[in-house]
Amino acid sequence: MSVFVWIESFAGRAVTSSWEALGAARIIAEAQATDVTALVFGENASAIAAEAGQFGAANAIVCQDEYLREYRLESYAALLSELVATHGPSTVVAVANNRGRELLASAAVDCDSGLIAEAIELRFEDGRIIGKRPAYAGKVLMEMRANTATTFVTIRARAFPAAAPADSAAPALEMVNAIEAAEAVATEIDSFATEAGRVSLSDAAIIVSGGRGMANNPKAAPDGLRGDDAAIWKARDGYENTLRPLADVLGAAIGASRAAVDAGYISYDHQVGQTGKVVNPDLYIACGISGAIQHQAGMRGSKVIVAINKDPEAPIFKLARYGIVGDLYDIVPALTAALRQRLAD
Amino acid sequence: MHVATFTRSTPDTAARVWVDANGNVTWGDVATVVNPWDEYSLEETIVQAKAGGGESTVIAIGSDLHNDALKHSMAMGVANALRVEEPTADMNDSLVWSALAAGAIRKIGAVDLVIFGKESVDLATDQHTYQLARRLGWTMLSYVSAILEADYPAGTIKVEKMLEQGKQVVSARLPAVISVMKGINEPRYPNFLGIRKAAKATIPVWTAADLGIELPRAATAILGFANPPERDQSSEIINAGDLEANTRALVDRLFEEKVL
Ligand SMILES: Cc1cc2nc3c(=O)[nH]c(=O)nc-3n(C[C@H](O)[C@H](O)[C@H](O)COP(=O)(O)OP(=O)(O)OC[C@H]3O[C@@H](n4cnc5c(N)ncnc54)[C@H](O)[C@@H]3O)c2cc1C
Ligand SMILES: Nc1ncnc2c1ncn2[C@@H]1O[C@H](COP(=O)(O)O)[C@@H](O)[C@H]1O
């Protein structure tokens, strides 16, 4: 009745948010007086399992098969479901990111088990997990539980603290083989492109975000650009040369409002909000964003919100802990300079 | 060739939603809209069905609250709509939901592709999508940002999909379930003819018995809803003098808050 935690890896390394899943697994194991078993599949799995041991996993189930080298939903879910059937864990935990969500939801079907998705808090009644999760874009919270022997739980990124290093012995390793069902694997990965060196929005501790106000860049657009094209040029220049330096000083990710995305100022993967990403960083700096309710849905969980806007009536100031009224093209460079100086001291 | 899609009605994203004294979620008398993420899946359904020279069907699982979303889908141009409602089922449970959804797809028969929106803005689990694919035993491709090729007679599809770490191009066999992202297309607005056609349509309702399935036991239970705790509303507009003084004061505050 151990607690299973899926340690996601990418290119042979553990994805850092996996340590938050391990942190949640340890909380569950403590409440249920049991231990944690890390599941590690794919490239470099043994080394990652050893790392999981340092963060408090007592056991690890490792599959190093070439067949599972690349993550594929079908083959990963087949092995996970088999392990649940043979080991009967009380719980299976993973982070609610693209892969964790689909993997646990699929295995929950195979195992006829209940899934609590995107939990932000857990409590226990007689050892049974009760998960709290946001619904209606965080406007209400709901509590739910599974009534099956195994509970599947995905946790929202940054909602649980990462597991602290534990001075435990090396985890007890169990090596397993992949479940080969070649005909079940109907997908081939043809290519992969990554934006190297960029901080991911969902994991970021600090986010600097720009909205439609980014188009009011005082810099002149190149000759020949007019109207929307000039606005796009100005906004893009602003993200690169005004917001990016601030983000770099802070080690922050760059976010955006939907208005900025729809206008073509920045790509959709930066959008924060109800139809973008939900983020909960320690610090969220909103620049030239009015603070529409759909934007708030994506960022109101941030610990400290700072608003920079030239309109003192902008709704974002009601949500923000700190605000400065003024032109972002004056304030952001000054803030970047003040931070550089302070961090150098 | 047949493309199916699922949709639901959700409260308007600008609506205030709260838990009333009886513990029920309410949004007053604000209208519902088609789940905003589904505008993209509905558009893609229309586009793919046309490209493949086939049929399109939109399905909602649940009460007649979802008829509005179905009518909107038809007004956009999805050819057929149907609703599955089973009074004895716990519609909040995703294993029950996916059993009904899989039953509906099997009853339609010969579906090549099921297209979902990324998630629903109210419950936002996206587990419905994966659990349907798993029940059907079909290929699952999530967070598709472009369909690069689809050869329905040959039963193959090639898509670009999003990961936290970047973009992947993946080839897969049909039939498949996919979820699509904003940006995959420009959703159309319903036109006058579409709205008139949808208004006249009667939407068939299927029960578990019509689908010929046995319902699984619900694996989860919702214990209750609550309003979130009030945010610490204290706001400070920093006005320490000139630009440098203001930004220096802000940096001081951020250090005091220990977020730097
Ligand atoms: C179904 C639905 C889903 C949606 N989903 C999302 C979502 O996921 N995310 C999202 O963000 N929105 C979403 N929206 C859109 C949302 O309603 C707003 O339209 C959007 O958030 C506005 O973006 P904005 O604040 O950048 O633009 P605006 O509202 O136009 O605000 C721009 C702000 O910039 C300020 N400004 C201008 N120039 C400067 C300057 N030089 N210096 C300082 N300040 C300046 C202005 O005072 C203003 O407050 C959604 C809407 C709908 C209907
Ligand atoms: N009751 C429902 N009927 C039809 N489609 C639904 C229903 N609930 C969710 N969906 C669809 O499933 C997808 C994922 O939703 P969710 O799993 O709720 O985030 C969305 O595109 C929804 O439109």
Side-chain angles (χ1 to χ4, degrees), chain A residues 30-324:
Chain A
E30 192 175 326
Q32 298 179 340
T34 180
D35 59 10
V36 173
T37 301
L39 308 186
V40 195
F41 308 156
E43 191 182 348
N44 220 10
S46 297
I48 296 169
E51 211 181 333
Q54 288 162 10
F55 288 112
N59 323 289
I61 301 179
V62 173
C63 180
Q64 292 249 63
D65 278 8
E66 190 53 34
Y67 187 67
L68 295 192
R69 189 183 173 84
E70 297 263 24
Y71 168 89
R72 282 202 213 86
L73 173 60
E74 290 83 0
S75 45
Y76 272 53
L79 180 56
L80 174 56
S81 302
E82 171 73 14
L83 291 171
V84 171
T86 52
H87 291 65
S90 72
T91 321
V92 181
V93 189
V95 177
N97 58 16
N98 293 11
R99 287 174 169 174
R101 288 168 155 198
E102 63 177 21
L103 179 62
L104 266 59
S106 302
V109 167
D110 296 351
C111 305
D112 263 323
S113 297
L115 165 65
I116 303 172
E118 277 302 321
I120 55 168
E121 254 176 72
L122 300 174
R123 64 184 180 88
F124 302 88
E125 264 174 25
D126 301 326
R128 280 208 89 81
I129 299 179
I130 296 180
K132 191 180 271 184
R133 62 181 306 273
Y136 299 89
K139 291 171 191 169
V140 306
L141 297 172
M142 79 190 233
E143 278 202 323
M144 63 183 292
R145 69 169 150 70
N147 45 35
T148 47
T150 302
T151 302
F152 286 71
V153 182
T154 61
I155 57 159
R156 176 172 280 187
R158 295 185 48 79
F160 291 84
D167 47 1
S168 43
L173 288 194
E174 180 185 346
M175 305 298 288
V176 295
N177 295 322
I179 311 272
E180 294 212 23
E183 70 282 359
V185 178
T187 55
E188 279 305 324
I189 298 156
D190 300 333
S191 72
F192 183 73
T194 172
E195 256 193 281
R198 292 280 147 102
V199 186
S200 129
L201 263 187
S202 347
D203 297 337
I206 303 181
I207 294 173
V208 178
S209 216
R212 204 201 304 266
M214 296 302 295
N216 294 334
N217 190 342
K219 243 192 237 177
D223 278 351
L225 287 186
R226 304 229 141 40
D228 289 351
D229 291 335
I232 291 174
W233 184 91
K234 286 179 172 212
R236 287 190 179 161
D237 178 82
Y239 279 107
E240 248 351 272
N241 298 316
T242 304
L243 281 205
R244 168 73 53 200
L246 175 60
D248 285 348
V249 172
L250 294 167
I254 296 222
S257 71
R258 172 163 167 177
V261 170
D262 285 355
Y265 301 165
I266 189 164
S267 67
Y268 169 64
D269 34 326
H270 294 274
Q271 184 179 319
V272 171
Q274 188 143 15
T275 49
K277 292 206 174 71
V278 176
V279 297
N280 40 354
D282 295 335
L283 175 59
Y284 187 93
I285 307 182
C287 310
I289 293 179
S290 61
I293 188 156
Q294 296 94 350
H295 188 77
Q296 292 190 16
M299 46 66 84
R300 61 178 308 130
S302 310
K303 208 165 126 201
V304 174
I305 295 167
V306 171
I308 298 172
N309 196 305
K310 65 180 186 188
D311 172 12
E313 302 299 325
I316 189 82
F317 285 120
K318 295 213 176 61
L319 188 71
R321 178 79 188 86
Y322 301 108
I324 301 185

Side-chain angles (χ1 to χ4, degrees), chain B residues 150-259:
Chain B
D151 186 336
Y152 295 100
T156 58
I157 188 167
K158 185 172 180 173
V159 305
E160 176 189 83
K161 68 193 287 288
M162 313 283 289
L163 284 179
E164 272 88 10
Q165 292 86 355
K167 286 180 181 157
Q168 233 176 9
V169 173
V170 175
S171 302
R173 277 206 297 276
L174 297 171
V177 175
I178 70 172
S179 66
V180 299
M181 308 282 290
K182 176 181 170 185
I184 189 171
N185 54 39
E186 260 321 310
R188 70 193 69 190
Y189 291 104
N191 61 25
F192 177 70
L193 276 179
I195 293 168
R196 220 172 52 178
K197 186 168 161 244
K200 277 197 260 162
T202 41
I203 296 172
V205 180
W206 292 351
T207 63
D210 295 329
L211 303 176
I213 62 162
E214 208 171 304
L215 278 179
R217 199 169 62 92
T220 53
I222 293 178
L223 302 177
F225 292 92
N227 292 308
E230 286 292 318
R231 245 190 99 82
D232 170 15
Q233 279 298 343
S234 67
S235 303
E236 183 191 349
I237 299 291
I238 295 177
N239 204 343
D242 64 2
L243 183 61
E244 275 67 38
N246 280 342
T247 49
R248 247 184 290 123
L250 175 59
V251 171
D252 289 342
R253 304 286 197 287
L254 296 179
F255 271 93
E256 283 160 25
E257 296 270 3
K258 297 197 168 52
V259 289

Side-chain angles (χ1 to χ4, degrees), chain B residues 42-62:
Chain B
L42 290 165
E43 174 69 27
E44 203 57 32
T45 298
I46 296 164
V47 167
Q48 292 300 322
K50 181 150 187 260
E55 277 293 309
S56 58
T57 300
V58 56
I59 307 164
I61 311 248

Side-chain angles (χ1 to χ4, degrees), chain A residues 321-345:
Chain A
R321 178 79 188 86
Y322 301 108
I324 301 185
V325 178
D327 192 320
L328 78 94
Y329 281 98
D330 297 328
I331 295 165
V332 173
L335 179 60
T336 308
L339 275 163
R340 264 210 197 99
Q341 192 176 40
R342 183 68 186 263
L343 292 168
D345 286 348

